[in-house]
Amino acid sequence: MSKKGKKDKGNVSLSKDNTKDKKGAAPSKETTQRKVSENKNVDSNVSEQLMVQLCGGRDLVSRPLLMSLDGKYIFTAGDNKVTVFNTETGLPLRELNTGATVKLGLTQNASELVVAGPNAVCTWNFELAKMNIKKKYFRTEKKLNVMDALIPSHFSDTKEVYLSCTEEENTTCKLLRVDVESNISKQIFTHISSNSVHLGGNDNYVIAIEQRPGSMMKKMLCYDKNLSTSQYLTTDEKRPLTVVRCHPKEKIFACGDISGRILIVNGHGSKECLIAAKSILHWHTCPVRTIAWSSEGSHLYSGGDERVMCKWFPEENSRPFFLPRCGAEIVDIQTSDNGVALQLSNNSVKILSKQDSPVQELLGLSKNGSGWPVGLAWNERTRSLYLNGDTGHIQVFNPESKNTYSLDIARQNYLTREREKSPHNSEVEAMALSVDGMHMVTVDCCWTPIPKVLMKFWHFSQSTQEFVLHTQVNLPHKRGVKSLHFRPESVDNDVTVLSVGRDKSAKMWVLEDDKAWSCLYSFEFRGLDCQTGAWSRDGSVLAIAFGHVVAIFDRAGKLRTTLTVDEKTDNISCLVFGQGLNQGCYLACATSTTVCVWNLINLTQLYKSAQKSVVLNLASDYQSGRLAVITKREITFIKIEEGKVEAEFTDLNCTGGAVFGFHKGDRNLFFLTYDGLLKMIGPKAKKSQPDSIAPQNTNHFLSTKRSAVTPSEIRAETKSTVSDDINSLLAVPLHSVPANSSLSIPFLANRIKSLPKMSVRDMDRLSLSDVQSDKKTKHAQEKEKLANIFSLPKGGVGMVDEDFFNLVHPSQKK
């Protein structure tokens, strides 16, 4: 059934601005990542109570990681701090508040860590979490941007670092050798690639890739510290270099190029030019992204977009060893005496043993090349956050337990990249969860020449405690789906969801009698592009943005009125109804630079404000009634009914994904940053207290090694039956089923506990006469029933023959 909602009740242009004058207020003090607005209506108490806090996630991929020489520790830099991990357990040991970090390095002291920042270099004792020495690069401030740094292993003796810098008015990158003790610098290279510099040969050789503007040819540059001379290696113009690494003890270089080759250069040649490579290692089909020598230099590791690690033996000239299915593209490789660490593009680190077998994994929030198109969604039932994970997956994160796991939505094998080809993989582009958390709708798209767009309806199964695919719709909208919105409250027990498409239409889908999904309405308006939609808190009003017009529909799909923002033609990108107890009649919308709030009862404009940057999202909290305006750098809290700004938070680097949810009993605004971190704005975190509630039953068959604990999504929320353990066992892959010996005890315990409890009558309290009278009464009742059934037609009430009665009840003979 399809109905067109094209009836127009007329445009109501609202231009009245009820915002108050914001001038004349004394600015308050700024705190970390919080700026209280200078509006005189700002509630200072609210702004002081709220603060930005880290909720979860770690940035494991933006900066190169570092592995200790003995392989016991891994150091990662991100979010203005350095985290020390234990490679055996994969758990963080401590955090160092180092500030912004450019590069990490080690010295000959086993407990010393060198941290190079944008202006100075510091040495830390990471075991005591104490900073020892801090040295600036230059005595006077220079207009230089430090892009990368190299820290020699003998830094404690030489006090020298190598800096890749660019000037503010010039993008050319140059390499400087800086003595931080005397603040004397010397220029070594110009026109280099900032991330290609490497140090080796007992800290005697520095190599880099030359990158000149407008030239495809990339040379390898080599600086000999002992001779104070520079050499270069010219390569094929059609196969430019991508990465260069120096042997840890000798003058031997490994150079990876765009065609997947690895050139081994022995460092011999004239004073200026090196001899071309005599050994070529070739297996990769994609460009080589990273190379690493072993600590002794006997073998070589390489990786790229094939998701395979190769281990080469240059001296033996033998076939390499392969470690396939690493999980993501290999970004960097770090080696030690006792193992190898692979830095992967999905924001994780895989730790290998001496035998090159995976033994541990460091995890952050998963990333992929598409970013986070679905934003953030909140599951009120499990109190978890849903967001994009690996390609074709949705990851679930619990803010309190910090557990994370993935849901496979696309259900297809990942196609890796090939040379000069980019295969297409399905990615989840839209997602929505019902208020009760029992239904989920996703849209995954594969943009091939003949696109594949699938909208999938998922129902939560109480038996297996997981989402199960119920219905799949092929091409619900011709050009894909922009967003999905569940109706907050169901009408007649029908679950309803709105899909906003790129084909200038929006469709309403209904689950009838919990059996089948069908399209009930299709909305179009004047041929305008459909932008977004929103439901009122009680589900009685539907608002859909068509271009610059907001169309208001009732629950029957009839158009009631339309609204515009000051007769402007800017497209409306965000819509949200007030979710508070007294804010249900307010509708907030946002264009690229303006936020406007309407009162739908009297159709008046309640609030309007111009924004400094593009508005990415709007969110409303049903507990406090706050309206959150999200931009890339700022998040603003607005009290709708009073039209005043409560608080502003700056320097956030937000992706636009934001949603209100619970954390330790308090309502917080969760938002996602481009660094892959989940942060929240709310009251200051309370100290954790022991939970007095008894733990719920958990399904131990579904716990994975990735999460190391049982995810909250698979907690049993209903009284389990005897067959639930069998259903749980059948729902997992065969290779993850535990041994029979470990299953016997819980299987028997479940069946013993499920036996009915029978109430036994206490015969000792009954006398013998009571028992005999009870038997006689039952005997008489049975005899009367037979008499009524087999009564004779003549003679009134028939009498039953005693022989017949004794035949029916032989045990009750007189």
Side-chain angles (χ1 to χ4, degrees), residues 526-545:
R526 296 181 181 178
L528 297 174
D529 291 333
C530 193
Q531 302 294 334
T532 185
W535 292 94
S536 61
R537 182 179 180 181
D538 58 357
S540 61
V541 181
L542 172 64
I544 304 176

Side-chain angles (χ1 to χ4, degrees), residues 247-265:
H247 192 279
K249 296 183 178 181
E250 301 178 11
K251 193 176 182 181
I252 300 176
F253 314 118
C255 310
D257 63 19
I258 198 173
S259 65
R261 301 184 306 168
I262 300 177
L263 313 178
I264 305 299
V265 182

Side-chain angles (χ1 to χ4, degrees), residues 639-708:
K639 197 170 185 178
I640 301 178
E641 59 271 21
E642 298 181 9
K644 71 176 183 180
V645 176
E646 291 186 321
E648 289 184 359
F649 303 86
T650 60
D651 299 330
L652 300 178
N653 195 26
C654 181
T655 63
V659 66
F660 279 97
F662 280 98
H663 182 262
K664 296 184 179 180
D666 296 325
R667 293 287 288 180
N668 291 262
L669 177 68
F670 298 97
F671 65 94
L672 184 65
T673 69
Y674 282 101
D675 299 329
L677 303 178
L678 268 174
K679 295 186 177 182
M680 58 184 180
I681 300 177
K684 189 175 181 180
K686 301 176 182 178
K687 294 184 178 179
S688 59
Q689 299 178 354
D691 193 359
S692 60
I693 302 176
Q696 295 179 333
N697 297 328
T698 55
N699 186 345
H700 299 284
F701 301 133
L702 296 182
S703 58
T704 60
K705 183 177 179 181
R706 178 179 178 87
S707 61

Side-chain angles (χ1 to χ4, degrees), residues 5 30 135 146 204 214 294 299 337 358 411 444 467 643 746:
E30 295 185 2
K135 297 288 185 178
V146 178
N204 292 322
S294 62
H299 47 271
D337 296 337
R411 298 188 174 186
D444 57 280
F467 279 104

Side-chain angles (χ1 to χ4, degrees), residues 317-333:
N317 196 20
S318 60
R319 184 179 178 181
F321 166 81
F322 300 104
L323 180 66
R325 295 180 291 274
C326 291
E329 293 80 5
I330 301 176
V331 177
D332 191 23
I333 300 176

